Each structure stands twice: as structure tokens, then as C-alpha cells.
Amino acid sequence: MKLNSFSYKNKSWEVKDLEFDNVSLIVGKNATGKSRSLGAIDLFCKIITQKVSLPPDTDWKVSFSKDDGTVIDYHFTTIVENDNVVVTHESITIDDKDFLIRESPDSASLYNTLEQQSQKVYPPANKLVIHVNRDIRKHPYMEDFAHWAESSFGFKFASIAPNVPFDEQKYDLMTAIDEIPALYKLLGENNKEKIQEYIQDMGFKIEDIQFREGTPSDFLYIKESGAKDVLPHYELSQGMFRTVALLIFLEYLISKKKPATIIIDDLCEGLDYERATKLGQIVFENCRNNSIQLIATSNDMFLMDVIDIDYWNILQRKNSIVTSLNPKRNHDIFDEFRFTGLSNFDLLSSDFIFKSLKHD
């Protein structure tokens, strides 16, 4: 199941109608809401898997599509009532047919696929119906949400540090995973060779990567061409380690976890032109070729110039409301820009969008 669109609102902030493709790059100037938008998707995942309690005074509208083309729309609203968070609305529609209708905190109508009819259910006011009705025979569509949330992974690229385990990164996005050396150990030889090829193609002169057990943590030792000694992973440069970590993480997820969604904030942050462009191409191509939905954010001009604008969401912010320009909704602007001869990055950095919107 893939995420098609996402809207979220609380008392202080709103993101409206983000739209996603199989691979998507979210771009925008500083403070437009890129990381906060991913944080909202992260929060939604944690709500579905009940890793966090329902947040107060929020409104969520999320649309998914399945491999067979089925479109599932999910909407719920929370408020604070007598110092408790309660659900005032919850609905699921599948291809425009109602499968869940909840208009009060303590009752809802839920479609039973076995009996081909709706039934009355009485959820706790502070719980979503999808949390308390998980009969896979009667309501198989409920499992679609759980599977998507449990199969989504991600992290903040710019916060990866050689001496900090992935599950202790500052950015709390999606499902925490083990640290990189442990993941590398679990890979097959073909997967390790593929990582080696990617690294060399990016211009890093790494001849070999070796796993070694340690106390209290395991280590990767890196052999560079021309270097006398191998280096433990925590002595690598930030850029090299971030790249190695991401490639190992991606290969591990593809080979072991079969993820539905991978989300990366600040992709390619801090890398030079050659590394940023090649890493971006590797990540996007791997996700496309393995039917993995990728949602990445970046302000890196090198990365933007090699990712087709067909995959862009350009965030704009007015006060506390974040909106998006993308080829699906604003195809005239994107089509017109292609004829300018400008680089992809100019679509964001120039006044082309402003003039186009003003003209409209």
C-alpha cells in the first residue's frame, strides 16, 4: 500500500494536500515545513501502531492506494473533552464506498465484508476503531493500515553520526532499527558486493568493509585504497559514514524487511556534488526498482538537479499553513518550466513560481 496524499491540522500548524508518487522529493526554502511534514507522517504511523497516544485537537486526512488500484481514504478528528482526548469523527472509504462511519466518540458503523452489511460498534472514546476492531476476516481493510505503518522506516540523514547507533538518532522517525554494523552482518555476500559497487561508483576509494564484534558495540572496519591501516567506522568522515550507513540501511531493508515506505529527511545533506548526485540516483532508482515508496526531503541543489521535477513537491508556507505545488495539481507550471532551459534547482530558487502564480 502506498501513500497518495496527506493532510494534517492542529491548533498551531496545518499541512494541506501533500501528494506523493512512488518516489517523491519534498523541496522548499528554509522554514517552509519540510521536516515538520515528515514528522506528522511519523506521528501518524505511531498513532496507527499505538506507540503514542492520540494527540489532542487534530484533524487527519490520508489517502492510500493498493497494488490493484484500490483507493482507501482515512479521516479522523480528535478534540479535548473533560481533559480527555476523544475521537469525534472517523471514516474509511474504499473506492468511494463507506466502510467506516463514526460521528460520535462512542459509536460507529463498520462494514462487515463477510456478511456484506454494516454493523454497529462501540469503541472507547479515546481509541480509533482501527485499534479495537482487528478481525481480519470481517474487516480485512483494517490490516492494511497496520501493515503499512509497521513496514515504514526512515531517519534524518544529516543527523547520522559514526558513533551514534541508528536507534538513538536525534530524529525520531518511524521504526527504530539496530545500529549499522549489526545490519551489515546480516547481509548476504551478494548484498555486500552491491554496496561495495555503489560506494566505489560514488568515488569513495573503499576496498573492503569488515564486521568485527566488540564490547559493548560491534564495529565496521574500512580499508581504503592506499591506506596502511583499516579504520573503524567511527573514524570515518561524516560524509563517508552517512553514505555507507544509508546504503547498508537501504540494502538491509530491501533484502530483509521488504518495506512499504522509506522516508529520509535532509537526503544528501553535507555531501559534495559528485556524491550527492550519485547517492540520490542510487536511492531513487533502488526504491523504484523494488516497488518501495520513497519520500525524501532536501534543499541540496545537486540532488534537485538530478531528480526529475515530475517527482517534486514544492512546499510553500503562509503563516501556519503549508501547501504544496506538484505536477499532479499544478501541471501547467511544471510543463511551462521545462521549456525555460533552466536547471531544476532554478524552479525553487528563481521567481518563476511567483510569476506563474501571480499570472494565474
Side-chain angles (χ1 to χ4, degrees):
M1 192 161 77
K2 299 291 191 296
L3 184 61
N4 286 340
S5 63
F6 183 86
S7 297
Y8 165 74
K9 183 179 181 179
N10 62 20
K11 284 186 173 181
S12 60
W13 186 65
E14 179 179 6
V15 55
K16 298 177 66 174
D17 300 322
L18 290 183
E19 292 184 310
F20 303 109
D21 212 318
N22 286 338
V23 291
S24 298
L25 183 66
I26 299 175
V27 303
K29 296 182 179 180
N30 291 338
T32 53
K34 297 185 298 298
S35 294
R36 292 187 71 178
S37 295
L38 290 196
I41 298 173
D42 168 41
L43 180 58
F44 178 72
C45 279
K46 288 182 169 64
I47 291 170
I48 298 303
T49 56
Q50 300 191 71
K51 293 180 179 178
V52 298
S53 300
L54 285 174
D57 300 312
T58 58
D59 186 80
W60 308 76
K61 294 180 181 178
V62 186
S63 180
F64 295 91
S65 62
K66 300 182 67 174
D67 291 341
D68 62 4
T70 300
V71 175
I72 304 177
D73 295 311
Y74 185 44
H75 179 204
F76 70 89
T77 304
T78 67
I79 65 169
V80 176
E81 191 174 89
N82 298 324
D83 295 326
N84 295 312
V85 178
V86 300
V87 181
T88 57
H89 171 84
E90 187 177 7
S91 64
I92 295 175
T93 61
I94 302 178
D95 289 339
D96 296 323
K97 179 180 179 180
D98 292 330
F99 277 68
L100 167 63
I101 302 176
R102 179 182 186 177
E103 298 296 352
S104 66
D106 54 5
S107 67
S109 295
L110 186 62
Y111 188 75
N112 184 326
T113 57
L114 284 182
E115 299 174 4
Q116 297 293 300
Q117 64 182 16
S118 293
Q119 64 184 84
K120 207 72 171 177
V121 295
Y122 302 94
N126 65 342
K127 291 286 187 179
L128 298 172
V129 172
I130 65 172
H131 290 155
V132 295
N133 290 80
R134 294 284 294 272
D135 189 322
I136 195 170
R137 297 177 305 154
K138 295 180 179 180
H139 318 117
Y141 48 92
M142 298 292 190
E143 291 302 307
D144 291 327
F145 294 101
H147 178 73
W148 173 81
E150 292 165 356
S151 301
S152 295
F153 303 85
F155 60 96
K156 187 177 180 70
F157 184 79
S159 293
I160 299 174
N163 57 349
V164 181
F166 254 32
D167 57 4
E168 294 179 13
Q169 298 293 341
K170 293 180 180 179
Y171 195 68
D172 183 24
L173 182 63
M174 301 301 174
T175 303
I177 64 169
D178 295 329
E179 56 188 306
I180 286 298
L183 298 187
Y184 187 77
K185 180 183 179 181
L186 295 173
L187 293 175
E189 289 304 315
N190 289 337
N191 304 113
K192 292 177 180 178
E193 290 177 5
K194 190 181 297 185
I195 291 170
Q196 187 76 18
E197 291 174 4
Y198 289 147
I199 291 171
Q200 292 176 353
D201 186 52
M202 292 183 62
F204 289 118
K205 298 180 179 181
I206 295 178
E207 293 182 350
D208 192 26
I209 302 175
Q210 301 173 1
F211 170 84
R212 297 184 188 179
E213 292 185 353
T215 303
S217 301
D218 296 327
F219 298 94
L220 291 179
Y221 278 84
I222 313 298
K223 179 67 170 67
E224 292 187 84
S225 300
K228 295 182 178 179
D229 301 316
V230 296
L231 289 176
H233 67 264
Y234 55 81
E235 290 187 12
L236 297 179
S237 68
Q238 286 282 1
M240 183 183 292
F241 181 76
R242 289 175 184 174
T243 301
V244 172
L246 175 56
L247 293 175
I248 292 173
F249 175 52
L250 184 63
E251 192 65 27
Y252 170 79
L253 290 179
I254 290 172
S255 64
K256 302 293 184 180
K257 292 287 189 178
K258 302 188 183 304
T261 308
I262 294 177
I263 298 179
I264 307 173
D265 196 14
D266 290 332
L267 179 59
C268 297
E269 178 75 17
L271 297 183
D272 58 42
Y273 172 80
E274 180 180 6
R275 273 77 179 199
T277 54
K278 289 188 176 180
L279 181 60
Q281 290 170 331
I282 289 169
V283 172
F284 272 74
E285 289 174 8
N286 263 277
C287 290
R288 273 198 300 261
N289 294 339
N290 289 280
S291 299
I292 298 168
Q293 185 173 30
L294 172 68
I295 301 174
T297 71
S298 182
N299 263 354
D300 189 293
M301 64 177 296
F302 306 139
L303 176 64
M304 292 186 215
D305 278 342
V306 297
I307 302 303
D308 197 303
I309 59 174
D310 282 344
Y311 302 124
W312 281 28
N313 266 280
I314 303 175
L315 297 194
Q316 296 186 310
R317 177 183 172 187
K318 184 175 182 180
N319 299 322
S320 61
I321 299 176
V322 177
T323 57
S324 169
L325 296 174
N326 59 69
K328 292 181 180 179
R329 189 184 300 113
N330 311 98
H331 57 87
D332 290 343
I333 293 176
F334 283 78
D335 290 345
E336 183 181 350
F337 179 78
R338 291 184 183 280
F339 293 102
T340 64
L342 299 172
S343 69
N344 289 0
F345 181 71
D346 290 324
L347 179 56
L348 177 65
S349 62
S350 70
D351 60 358
F352 179 85
I353 293 175
F354 173 77
K355 289 180 178 180
S356 298
L357 293 175
K358 186 176 181 181
H359 177 74
D360 289 345

